Amino acid sequence: MMTTPEPGKLGFSLKDYADTLKAYLDDGYAVTGFREYLDDPQPKHLVLRHDIDNSIEQAMRVARVDAEAGCTSSIFLRVHARGYSLMSLPSLLMIREMEELGHEVQLHLEGGICEVLGGDNFEWAERQRTVFETAVGRPLGGFSLHEPARLGGFAFAAELLEKWSDTVRYHSYEPRFMMPHMKYLSDSSGNWREGHFALWVGKEPLMQVLTHPFWWFDKVPAENY
């Protein structure tokens, strides 16, 4: 079992990340994506989420670490990212590998496009869903918001979830995945506002942990930019 390091020594190395996943598993947590949590919730369960802002290669690296540790995760990919295209062959091959490793790949939905090109966020959400489903060859099952304020916040997500209930089971900011029902931790902007997720092992039975693979590195942060 991992001995939790002192807070000041915890960082964003992939070794820290892998050791932390193993610590949760050793403490009796199931560590899975949203789909497996919804299908088979456990008394101690960490829902592992990755929002992919810039690089699908970085997402693939973290997905492999998850699998090597014996975990699965939910990986949310953008349609409008400048750094990757869902339709490129390298991206399609990585999406296939992610799913073969047991991970769930879904849509990282974003707003703001209508401010430049017209229409509204609902119209652009439909377009993003169409592109995503065309790329992965299956119906959308869930989504997370990219920069929620640009999409009208969680009220927009709730309304969209109702519209998309034909196949979509959840969005990642639903109350059932947040406090007080589930402890939510995020590394947004490279900052754990409530402490590195390693410090929470055993403290809360139900958790959602969001990471952005851009912040995680093998040897030095410069690997990623």
Side-chain angles (χ1 to χ4, degrees):
M1 187 177 197
M2 181 186 87
T3 300
T4 303
E6 298 175 14
K9 295 182 179 179
L10 286 165
F12 282 86
S13 75
L14 289 171
K15 183 181 185 306
D16 288 337
Y17 176 80
D19 285 348
T20 301
L21 292 182
K22 291 172 184 175
Y24 276 96
L25 293 173
D26 288 345
D27 202 64
Y29 287 80
V31 181
T32 75
F34 286 93
R35 180 181 59 203
E36 289 177 70
Y37 172 74
L38 292 173
D39 288 345
D40 187 22
Q42 299 300 308
K44 295 177 74 173
H45 210 129
L46 187 156
V47 177
L48 186 58
R49 165 184 162 198
H50 305 306
D51 285 355
I52 314 307
D53 294 340
N54 302 303
S55 168
I56 196 169
E57 289 84 3
Q58 291 165 5
M60 189 71 252
R61 183 166 64 170
V62 171
R64 290 169 181 151
V65 174
D66 290 346
E68 289 169 6
C71 305
T72 61
S73 57
S74 292
I75 300 167
F76 295 92
L77 300 177
R78 294 169 61 199
V79 165
H80 298 296
R82 292 179 64 182
Y84 63 91
S85 166
L86 294 188
M87 288 295 193
S88 72
L89 180 57
S91 290
L92 292 171
L93 289 172
M94 282 184 274
I95 291 168
R96 175 184 288 182
E97 182 179 347
M98 290 171 185
E99 294 183 332
E100 288 175 346
L101 290 172
H103 304 308
E104 174 192 19
V105 178
Q106 301 291 359
L107 176 62
H108 196 24
L109 186 73
E110 57 199 290
I113 303 297
C114 60
E115 297 171 16
V116 179
L117 296 178
D120 59 34
N121 278 325
F122 284 106
E123 176 188 341
W124 283 98
E126 294 287 355
R127 292 191 186 194
Q128 289 173 72
R129 178 180 180 177
T130 297
V131 172
F132 179 86
E133 291 182 335
T134 301
V136 301
R138 58 165 169 77
L140 181 66
F143 65 92
S144 72
L145 300 183
H146 179 63
E147 299 180 342
R150 290 188 180 276
L151 275 164
F154 305 147
F156 173 86
E159 187 174 352
L160 192 62
L161 179 61
E162 184 176 354
K163 287 178 178 289
W164 285 356
S165 60
D166 54 336
T167 67
V168 177
R169 302 174 66 187
Y170 69 89
H171 75 79
S172 61
Y173 289 111
E174 287 184 69
R176 57 181 169 164
F177 304 130
M178 306 293 287
M179 290 294 287
H181 179 68
M182 182 177 283
K183 183 63 184 178
Y184 172 74
L185 298 173
S186 170
D187 69 353
S188 294
S189 301
N191 178 32
W192 296 101
R193 289 166 179 77
E194 297 185 72
H196 195 287
F197 79 123
L199 303 176
W200 287 85
V201 176
K203 293 186 178 180
E204 295 282 349
L206 299 179
M207 302 183 66
Q208 180 190 164
V209 173
L210 166 61
T211 78
H212 299 79
F214 175 80
W215 301 117
W216 298 88
F217 57 87
D218 184 20
K219 294 183 174 62
V220 292
E223 296 164 5
N224 293 341
Y225 52 82

